Amino acid sequence: MSFKPANSIQDLQYFGEFGGVNPSISDSSTYTFLSAKTMFDTFEGNADGCYLYSRHSSPSNLYLGEALAAMEHTETANVTASGMGAITAVMLQLCNAGDHIVSSRTIYGGTYAFFKNFTPKFNIETSFVDITKLEAVEAAITKRTKVLYCESVSNPLLEVADIKGLAAIAKKYSLKLVVDNTFSPLSISPAILGADVVIHSLTKFINGSSDTVGGVVCGTQEFINDLRNVNDGAGMLLGSTMDSLRASSILKNLRTLHIRMQQHSKNGMYLAERFEKDGLKTVYPGLSSHPSHNLFKRMMHTEYGFGGMLTIDVGSLEKANELMELMQHKNLGYLAVSLGFYKTLFSAPGTSTSSEIPEEEQAEMGLSDGLIRFSIGLDADIERTYNMMRKCMTELNILVKKTTAI
């Protein structure tokens, strides 16, 4: 029987303190002990089930981590205060001074800035490559390389990583493959395909209501223990701890993720097909025109579709801004960064979420000024949404108006 990620979440059973159908929230920063010896043992990591201080762990955070580990088919997981909190802790845990990272060139701007501008302070260098070319990835590996890093579906160009192929390279050179799966929860399971560590920004699709910032690291028990080590664990010492109330909120929303992702994907596919038919330069993994369409199909859990992210290119930043402002005015969504909300969100990534990447490098990777990134919402009538979007594009002369024969 093939792995079913939503079933793995659903099969977890938690009870609250008084028989509640949701687990009780541990709203405490510190925990008491009946004996001093138990406190000592807990500091030493030798007292299972005991809690010491909520920066170390809390019941609420462990419930959420257990559910996310079940979703990603890893031994365990550690939740963090943000997606960047997860990424930075993982990379600083895996790399020491003098080490080297090979990363996809198209990644979230904050991650790019961390690799390009911050880690060199610790003498950790990064080579950015076209992740879709395995020969380029292998050619960038040096004796100092410790990590291959990519996003399952890249932000914002929607390039698709061949996770099995990358895993084989990582194994060949004894590297760790770290995969950010934020754009494709449930649709792709990187750990099953060979990833060593899987990261999410929980802020996005997994939480789904744009009211919480969070992250998670999914991996082996040994690696998560290392992250949490009180003496040298990056997850522990960098202090990016998730609040228990937020963990509880995300866990509730996680239980409907499978339903939401199906609708995000259904709506994304509908709009992508029609935008492409209208002659717009459209990128969406579900389109046969996408260069990695067949690769995505081989990796995916088909019931969750190709995701809710698509891009169109309207030719210039001026046109992109005009269209986004008009669509917001017509209540078709919000001109906002982030993704995974019930309403459609749109932004021009070259001047927002990818603005940390220098303009010349944006041009080299194909990130144009006129590119608009859409996070497609949960619209019940996506045909109505399309018709209204098309009317906006026609009004701005982005599309030629359709004529109806009489």
Side-chain angles (χ1 to χ4, degrees), residues 37-58:
K37 184 180 185 306
T38 307
M39 178 183 282
F40 172 78
D41 288 341
T42 304
F43 259 112
E44 295 296 304
N46 299 321
D48 288 343
C50 292
Y51 298 94
L52 177 70
Y53 184 55
S54 284
R55 180 163 60 82
H56 297 198
S57 65
S58 72

Side-chain angles (χ1 to χ4, degrees), residues 6-44:
N7 288 355
S8 297
I9 299 169
Q10 184 176 310
D11 288 347
L12 293 172
Q13 188 179 52
Y14 301 123
F15 293 108
E17 184 179 358
F18 303 104
V21 296
N22 288 307
S24 301
I25 300 170
S26 176
D27 195 19
S28 295
S29 61
T30 191
Y31 300 83
T32 190
F33 294 88
L34 297 182
S35 76
K37 184 180 185 306
T38 307
M39 178 183 282
F40 172 78
D41 288 341
T42 304
F43 259 112
E44 295 296 304

Side-chain angles (χ1 to χ4, degrees), residues 276-321:
E276 186 173 63
K277 189 175 181 181
D278 287 335
L280 288 168
K281 185 179 179 182
T282 308
V283 176
Y284 181 70
L287 296 174
S288 59
S289 58
H290 191 288
S292 298
H293 173 69
N294 290 329
L295 171 62
F296 196 112
K297 284 178 69 175
R298 290 196 301 271
M299 295 193 296
M300 73 187 295
H301 300 289
T302 56
E303 60 266 42
Y304 306 115
F306 293 90
M309 303 301 297
L310 66 86
T311 68
I312 62 172
D313 195 327
V314 296
S316 70
L317 181 59
E318 181 183 13
K319 280 292 183 187
N321 289 339

Side-chain angles (χ1 to χ4, degrees), residues 18-327:
F18 303 104
V21 296
N22 288 307
S24 301
I25 300 170
S26 176
D27 195 19
S28 295
S29 61
T30 191
Y31 300 83
T32 190
F33 294 88
L34 297 182
S35 76
K37 184 180 185 306
T38 307
M39 178 183 282
F40 172 78
D41 288 341
T42 304
F43 259 112
E44 295 296 304
N46 299 321
D48 288 343
C50 292
Y51 298 94
L52 177 70
Y53 184 55
S54 284
R55 180 163 60 82
H56 297 198
S57 65
S58 72
S60 299
N61 289 12
L62 290 174
Y63 288 138
L64 176 59
E66 184 179 31
L68 291 164
M71 182 186 80
E72 286 296 1
H73 203 61
T74 60
E75 291 177 1
T76 190
N78 188 58
V79 294
T80 59
S82 68
M84 285 304 300
I87 292 165
T88 54
V90 166
M91 301 311 290
L92 292 178
Q93 189 68 36
L94 291 175
C95 296
N96 295 315
D99 288 343
H100 175 250
I101 300 162
V102 175
S103 170
S104 170
R105 62 181 183 176
T106 61
I107 50 175
Y108 169 56
T111 312
Y112 176 91
F114 176 67
F115 289 160
K116 185 70 177 286
N117 305 324
F118 194 85
T119 58
K121 296 178 182 180
F122 303 99
N123 193 26
I124 299 170
E125 302 294 335
T126 301
S127 297
F128 297 96
V129 301
D130 183 344
I131 206 69
T132 65
K133 294 182 170 61
L134 295 180
E135 63 276 12
V137 173
E138 190 163 9
I141 294 170
T142 73
K143 292 180 179 179
R144 298 187 298 115
T145 307
K146 290 294 177 66
V147 177
L148 298 184
Y149 182 91
C150 70
E151 297 167 348
S152 300
V153 180
S154 75
N155 183 3
L157 297 183
L158 308 185
E159 294 178 345
V160 178
D162 181 351
I163 298 173
K164 275 190 174 180
L166 292 168
I169 293 173
K171 186 175 181 180
K172 179 179 177 181
Y173 293 95
S174 300
L175 311 177
K176 296 296 184 184
L177 174 60
V178 179
V179 179
D180 182 337
N181 200 32
T182 299
F183 273 26
S184 46
L186 298 181
S187 293
I188 296 176
S189 296
I192 290 178
L193 298 168
D196 296 291
V197 180
V198 182
I199 291 169
H200 283 273
S201 169
L202 302 179
T203 313
K204 313 304 194 301
F205 287 112
I206 287 176
N207 185 56
S209 51
S210 289
D211 61 357
T212 296
V213 175
V216 67
V217 181
C218 303
T220 64
Q221 187 69 59
E222 180 182 12
F223 180 66
I224 299 303
N225 286 347
D226 288 344
L227 273 181
R228 290 174 174 161
N229 190 289
V230 296
N231 293 309
D232 59 7
M236 177 68 65
L237 299 176
L238 294 175
S240 59
T241 306
M242 177 174 283
D243 177 76
S244 292
L245 295 171
R246 290 305 190 187
S248 176
S249 176
I250 295 170
L251 179 59
K252 293 170 189 172
N253 289 346
L254 178 64
R255 292 166 177 157
T256 63
L257 178 63
H258 60 293
I259 300 169
R260 292 185 282 111
M261 287 312 301
Q262 288 168 349
Q263 189 68 18
H264 284 304
S265 293
K266 175 185 174 184
N267 288 350
M269 191 73 189
Y270 185 96
L271 291 178
E273 288 178 338
R274 278 147 187 80
F275 288 161
E276 186 173 63
K277 189 175 181 181
D278 287 335
L280 288 168
K281 185 179 179 182
T282 308
V283 176
Y284 181 70
L287 296 174
S288 59
S289 58
H290 191 288
S292 298
H293 173 69
N294 290 329
L295 171 62
F296 196 112
K297 284 178 69 175
R298 290 196 301 271
M299 295 193 296
M300 73 187 295
H301 300 289
T302 56
E303 60 266 42
Y304 306 115
F306 293 90
M309 303 301 297
L310 66 86
T311 68
I312 62 172
D313 195 327
V314 296
S316 70
L317 181 59
E318 181 183 13
K319 280 292 183 187
N321 289 339
E322 286 179 345
L323 176 59
M324 291 187 294
E325 289 170 5
L326 182 57
M327 287 191 298

